[in-house]
Amino acid sequence: MTGISLGMPDGPLPTLAPRRKTRQLMVGDVGVGSDYPVSVQSMTTTKTHDINATLQQIAQLTAAGCDIIRVACPKTVDAEALPVIAAKSPIPVIADIHFQPRYIFAAIDAGCAAVRVNPGNIREFDGRVKEVAKAAGDAGVPIRIGINAGSLDRRIMEKYGKATPEALVESAVMEAALFEEHGFGDIAISVKHNDPVVMVAAYRQLAAQTDYPLHLGVTEAGPAFQGTVKSAVAFGALLAEGIGDTIRTSLSADPVEEIKVGDQILQSLNLRPRTLEIVSCPSCGRAQVDVYTLAERVSAGLEGLEVPLRVAVMGCVVNGPGEARDADLGVASGNGKGQIFVKGEVIRTVPEDQIVETLIEEAMHMADGMTDDPAGVAGAPQVTVTR
């Protein structure tokens, strides 16, 4: 068979819209802004003053693909732990500051890569901006102004009555202007809301009014399933328009899940190179095998594979052969057996109980070939599983 183009395309991946042009920041060694890839963040759930536990969780998140990590700093003991954490963390550390402005200066002195401030709940914050701007500027530490629907400045709430998109944006722009008055412009902004519709409207308005890099988040998004859907909808809408420079999916779940979801959102929009991709159909009355089980077993067997490979697991005689043929590796199942396709060609037919083993074996063989020939990875195959 000829004329089949499989795997990742050569050159830059196509995206839905060009990135919105922003000013550029360096958060440690990670660039944030339109000149850099969209980065994925999370936040530790440990008590920051428990240094060993915090560093262990940061290591787990780093292994999962986290680019930047944020740690809470609600107490003096947490601030005292920052120098060790910032020095030993394998990825840049952002200190998350609420209520006490003195912790901002402690975080800067500790060597944190950036500081996130929530002006709505830091005491007399506006009166301390000059000091913060000087300390951050002298140290070369960016500031993220984090505006949250649940902690808006009292003056803004009195004006708007609730956390509307306009309220969130006005608060962010007002606070950024205070820093700019003191010659400090290394600023990123977030305007988070738990309602994706309000959140998207706020970021669109903010993107139209400023050139600051934007950190996207649906705050208090909820448990894993609900939070994933809300984040994917909101991030997808904005990133598809080129809006957003760093993201966090705020889930009531293990923070490693936040990284997995964020990474998959970026891969789905071609904003991050794709790795293993499993494509599967929703099963129907035409299926002649247990495609659910096949897909789950193949996914489990290939978990952690970091090469651009699309694998298709099909159980339908209508779409199965075509889908399996178009993937890098695939199976069209039926009548107790499966046809195994590699790069569009049938290489063998195996009994149903050997399908999973055969697919995993072939996927590993293809992955080894890509690892041995790094130059070929850009055009490497992908795997699609359909149910």
Side-chain angles (χ1 to χ4, degrees):
M1 182 175 293
T2 60
I4 295 178
S5 177
L6 299 171
M8 301 298 287
D10 294 332
L13 296 174
T15 56
L16 292 170
R19 292 276 297 282
R20 158 185 168 266
K21 294 297 182 184
T22 73
R23 62 185 70 184
Q24 313 304 315
L25 305 177
M26 291 304 299
V27 178
D29 59 0
V30 175
V32 174
S34 54
D35 289 353
Y36 302 96
V38 178
S39 55
V40 177
Q41 297 189 25
S42 186
M43 189 170 182
T44 55
T45 58
T46 57
K47 300 298 183 184
T48 303
H49 59 264
D50 187 341
I51 294 175
N52 289 336
T54 299
L55 287 172
Q56 182 177 6
Q57 189 170 69
I58 291 174
Q60 293 169 345
L61 291 164
T62 302
C66 186
D67 298 307
I68 299 170
I69 189 65
R70 184 155 47 107
V71 299
C73 190
K75 299 180 179 179
T76 300
V77 287
D78 300 311
E80 291 171 346
L82 290 177
V84 176
I85 293 170
K88 293 189 175 183
S89 172
I91 55 177
V93 173
I94 297 179
D96 190 71
I97 309 299
H98 298 262
F99 307 116
Q100 292 290 348
R102 70 175 183 271
Y103 296 148
I104 300 173
F105 304 103
I108 293 170
D109 292 340
C112 289
V115 177
R116 182 270 177 136
V117 297
N118 185 344
N121 62 19
I122 295 180
R123 297 174 193 169
E124 301 177 350
F125 179 77
D126 290 357
R128 306 293 298 274
V129 167
K130 182 177 180 179
E131 297 172 67
V132 173
K134 184 178 188 313
D138 289 347
V141 174
I143 298 289
R144 172 157 74 88
I145 297 172
I147 305 299
N148 270 22
S151 53
L152 268 177
D153 185 281
R154 175 181 53 80
R155 296 163 294 177
I156 298 294
M157 286 298 291
E158 289 175 353
K159 178 177 179 179
Y160 289 95
K162 60 180 181 179
T164 64
E166 293 76 16
L168 294 167
V169 172
E170 182 172 324
S171 179
V173 172
M174 177 183 71
E175 298 297 344
L178 292 177
F179 278 95
E180 296 283 3
E181 286 178 7
H182 298 293
F184 185 85
D186 287 344
I187 296 167
I189 296 179
S190 61
V191 281
K192 296 184 178 182
H193 198 286
N194 58 48
D195 184 331
V197 174
V198 177
M199 175 267 201
V200 168
Y203 276 100
R204 283 174 174 161
Q205 291 181 27
L206 188 59
Q209 294 181 35
T210 76
D211 70 344
Y212 297 113
L214 301 182
H215 170 71
L216 304 186
V218 178
T219 190
E220 295 100 30
F225 175 75
Q226 175 181 293
T228 295
V229 172
K230 289 170 71 172
S231 296
V233 167
F235 295 177
L238 292 167
L239 292 168
E241 298 173 11
I243 298 171
D245 304 288
T246 176
I247 64 173
R248 180 199 174 190
T249 55
S250 301
L251 307 179
S252 299
D254 186 324
V256 169
E257 294 303 310
E258 296 187 352
I259 302 305
K260 292 180 180 179
V261 172
D263 183 74
Q264 191 60 55
I265 290 171
L266 295 182
Q267 287 192 40
S268 297
L269 291 168
N270 281 345
L271 292 170
R272 178 164 286 195
R274 297 192 185 197
T275 52
L276 175 67
E277 183 176 355
I278 306 254
V279 180
S280 62
C281 67
S283 190
C284 67
R286 297 191 298 264
Q288 297 177 339
V289 296
D290 183 356
V291 186
Y292 294 147
T293 299
L294 285 181
E296 289 171 358
R297 290 178 62 195
V298 171
S299 298
L302 297 179
E303 185 175 4
L305 202 61
E306 294 294 331
V307 296
L309 189 68
R310 178 177 292 144
V311 179
V313 178
M314 301 296 299
C316 170
V317 295
V318 174
N319 296 319
E323 292 281 1
R325 184 177 292 114
D326 285 343
D328 302 308
L329 170 66
V331 61
S333 309
N335 298 320
K337 58 188 178 183
Q339 283 188 314
I340 306 298
F341 290 78
V342 171
K343 297 184 178 180
E345 300 285 353
V346 177
I347 61 165
R348 73 179 86 165
T349 300
V350 300
E352 183 177 335
D353 61 2
Q354 294 180 24
I355 288 174
V356 173
E357 175 187 349
T358 304
L359 284 176
I360 292 173
E361 178 183 302
E362 290 295 335
M364 294 302 183
H365 177 70
M366 297 170 80
D368 287 343
M370 285 180 262
T371 303
D372 294 340
D373 180 19
V377 171
Q382 301 176 344
V383 181
T384 306
V385 179
T386 63
R387 295 179 179 134

